[in-house]
Amino acid sequence: MADPDRCPCLSGETYGNCCAPLHRSDMTAPTAERLMRSRFTAFAVNDAGYLLDSWHPTTRPATLELDPDLVWYRLDILSTNGGGPLGVDGTVEFRAYYRSADGRGDQHEVSRFVRERQSWFYLGAV
């Protein structure tokens, strides 16, 4: 994905001004929601490395294989609880939409996040 393209997380920003700096480790996500958006975008651009790096070590799988036939195209943030810039934990409820050879689908989840050493990490689904 090129930096001038619209970011898949639908923030309204370009990829270069939104999720790309997090994917390149130029910055860390300031909130749990921002990390959620960057993780969705990592699925959309097939960046398994970023997904693993942003996953908390206590719950992270050893490897992650993404399905290249899934096209993630829309993210709706339904609610957030905690997870602010000064917080230490939080949840983000979302619905993510995809297309595949079998048709369209969506994933609904309430994700848990924790902040350690000034960085937010994905813990898993509630």
Side-chain angles (χ1 to χ4, degrees):
M1 166 159 283
D3 281 1
D5 293 341
R6 186 178 107 181
C7 195
C9 80
L10 302 180
S11 66
E13 293 286 335
T14 63
Y15 176 65
N17 288 329
C18 190
C19 291
L22 285 98
H23 292 174
R24 293 189 298 250
S25 299
D26 294 345
M27 64 179 283
T28 60
T31 65
E33 179 181 338
R34 189 79 165 76
L35 183 62
M36 178 63 242
R37 289 182 175 280
S38 70
R39 286 179 56 83
F40 169 82
T41 297
F43 277 102
V45 300
N46 290 310
D47 188 346
Y50 179 78
L51 291 165
L52 289 169
D53 289 345
S54 62
W55 208 316
H56 196 271
T58 61
T59 58
R60 176 178 50 219
T63 62
L64 182 64
E65 289 189 37
L66 300 178
D67 184 345
D69 295 329
L70 286 181
V71 177
W72 296 93
Y73 66 90
R74 177 177 158 191
L75 174 67
D76 292 340
I77 302 294
L78 304 175
S79 68
T80 60
N81 184 15
L86 302 177
V88 294
D89 60 11
T91 61
V92 178
E93 181 181 9
F94 71 91
R95 187 172 304 276
Y97 298 85
Y98 63 86
R99 288 187 303 268
S100 71
D102 297 328
R104 295 177 185 265
D106 66 82
Q107 176 182 342
H108 176 245
E109 183 176 301
V110 177
S111 296
R112 295 180 310 132
F113 296 89
V114 64
R115 190 171 74 144
E116 295 180 354
R117 299 176 311 280
Q118 306 302 318
S119 294
W120 283 100
F121 293 94
Y122 171 72
L123 282 171
V126 171

